[in-house]
Amino acid sequence: MADPAEVLLAVLRQMTALTGGVYDGQVPVKVPTDSTGKWVKPYAVLWAGMGDDLPEERDLTGLASAGVLDWRPQVTVVGASASVCRDASRAVLAALRNQHLGPGWLIPDADMNRQLAPIPDNTVTPVRHFMPLKFRLVTTT
């Protein structure tokens, strides 16, 4: 299976709503802003590990299966205001919901994403709002 993180990054980079870019675990100190420099353009950051097998679903040998993957990435969506952040988050959820990855599909984490609200970050300039979206991919053979 291709690296699922690279697949998600490719999907996110094609999104017209993310005019501020897409980053893989590291955001530059200076992110794209509007022409006034006062507002950040919407962007997303993928936080993804490698994933692992499902120990509770191993066969009687107890050995890990190379064909099983439990992967739980997060995409943090950022916007200049709460409303811009919500709009960009809706677009990201729509683009990634049920994304086909290898032998499985990426699904939003229903419990973690249920009542999310944009969180202001007043520690940076320009000020921005962010929303962490959690996803889950489980593949079995």
Side-chain angles (χ1 to χ4, degrees), residues 42-117:
Y43 65 88
V45 186
L46 174 65
W47 306 97
M50 299 181 310
D52 205 353
D53 76 324
L54 296 164
E56 65 276 7
E57 295 188 15
R58 292 181 183 163
D59 64 16
L60 294 176
T61 66
L63 298 174
S65 171
V68 175
L69 178 65
D70 182 4
W71 187 60
R72 299 173 192 227
Q74 174 179 304
V75 176
T76 301
V77 182
V78 181
S81 66
S83 64
V84 171
C85 183
R86 282 190 301 272
D87 289 345
S89 294
R90 279 187 206 98
V92 167
L93 277 171
L96 297 183
R97 179 178 282 120
N98 299 324
Q99 177 66 45
H100 185 39
L101 294 169
W105 287 267
L106 188 73
I107 57 172
D109 186 314
D111 292 327
M112 297 300 292
N113 294 342
R114 183 157 295 157
Q115 294 296 326
L116 289 178

Side-chain angles (χ1 to χ4, degrees), residues 13-27:
R13 287 179 179 133
Q14 292 176 7
M15 294 184 62
T16 57
L18 300 175
T19 56
V22 173
Y23 306 98
D24 185 5
Q26 180 71 42
V27 179

